[in-house]
Amino acid sequence: MKRILYVDYMRFLAIVGVLFLHITSNYITNTPIFGNYWIQSIFISSLTRFSIILFIMISGLLLLKKDNPINTIPRRIKRILEPFIVWFIIYFIVKWSLGLFESNTNNFLVLFINAILDPTIVSVQFWFVYMIIALYIATPLVSKLVHTLTDREIEYFLGIWFVCLVLKFIDKNILILDFMGFFMGTWDILYLDII
């Protein structure tokens, strides 16, 4: 595929943003609240929160530009899973041997299964791998939709999705939004806490 220059610029911006997020997270958690370093870290962290979403948008842009048949899913997932499994096991064993798990059980197998179900138990950053796998699984369907729908139909879908997303921020129990949320993927957007 031919290089797209503005995508490279967006990647650079996203990488710098993620670096700032990780650097400031240490100051946010380990300095006194409302202290000078804490305020600066909160400010910088708020400015760079876009970087995670930008990475996802770049992935979507590049994946949806071409056809994505279902038979490409195993190859893509394998490329991510192999290094992930190695690092997951290394992190798990080191954390286990140092007794760093915050759990009410010391059972190795129970902890390992819980860590597979929620990899953030081992390392907070591992959530990203699960999100990428989910995107790869959904890509063939979304790609088919994007290539067969008209621009007007895509705008219609995005409009409904945006309205549902905005209305979820209203602290009212609107029954239709609960049902629309299951389809539009907005039912738990307020509960995401990723970093």
Side-chain angles (χ1 to χ4, degrees):
M1 182 187 333
K2 186 181 173 188
R3 281 190 88 100
I4 306 170
L5 193 57
Y6 72 88
V7 171
D8 289 338
Y9 292 138
M10 288 191 306
R11 272 196 193 122
F12 172 77
L13 194 61
I15 289 168
V16 170
V18 167
L19 287 173
F20 275 109
L21 274 175
H22 286 279
I23 291 168
T24 57
S25 68
N26 187 41
Y27 287 103
I28 291 169
T29 56
N30 295 323
T31 57
I33 295 177
F34 299 114
N36 191 27
Y37 286 127
W38 186 85
I39 291 171
Q40 290 175 34
S41 298
I42 290 290
F43 179 74
I44 293 169
S45 178
S46 298
L47 287 179
T48 56
R49 285 272 165 195
F50 72 90
S51 56
I52 296 168
I53 304 300
L54 186 57
F55 268 125
I56 297 167
M57 291 170 62
I58 291 168
S59 297
L61 172 73
L62 297 175
L63 285 172
L64 296 177
K65 279 181 114 19
K66 57 186 181 227
D67 285 333
N68 291 287
I70 292 175
N71 61 2
T72 62
I73 294 173
R75 180 180 49 84
R76 285 193 177 128
I77 291 177
K78 182 182 174 193
R79 281 189 358 216
I80 290 176
L81 274 184
E82 287 174 348
F84 170 70
I85 290 170
V86 169
W87 285 108
F88 181 86
I89 291 171
I90 290 170
Y91 270 62
F92 185 86
I93 290 172
V94 167
K95 204 166 182 177
W96 168 264
S97 62
L98 296 175
L100 298 175
F101 282 109
E102 297 175 7
S103 176
N104 54 1
T105 181
N106 288 332
N107 186 325
F108 183 88
L109 187 60
V110 170
L111 274 174
F112 191 76
I113 290 170
N114 287 337
I116 289 171
L117 296 174
D118 180 5
T120 61
I121 293 170
V122 176
S123 178
V124 173
Q125 290 77 17
F126 284 157
W127 72 268
F128 196 75
V129 175
Y130 281 43
M131 190 254 333
I132 290 172
I133 291 171
L135 287 175
Y136 281 165
I137 290 169
T139 295
L141 301 173
V142 175
S143 178
K144 192 82 164 170
L145 281 173
V146 167
H147 288 106
T148 57
L149 295 176
T150 65
D151 288 346
R152 182 80 176 128
E153 290 167 332
I154 292 172
E155 289 168 0
Y156 172 74
F157 174 80
L158 291 175
I160 294 172
W161 177 80
F162 182 75
V163 168
C164 287
L165 186 64
V166 169
L167 289 176
K168 282 306 275 186
F169 284 98
I170 299 171
D171 194 22
K172 300 285 183 203
N173 188 12
I174 304 171
L175 189 58
I176 193 167
L177 286 180
D178 292 339
F179 293 111
M180 289 290 288
F182 287 113
F183 173 69
M184 304 302 289
T186 58
W187 69 92
D188 63 351
I189 199 73
L190 296 177
Y191 305 107
L192 291 177
D193 185 22
I194 301 171
I195 183 162

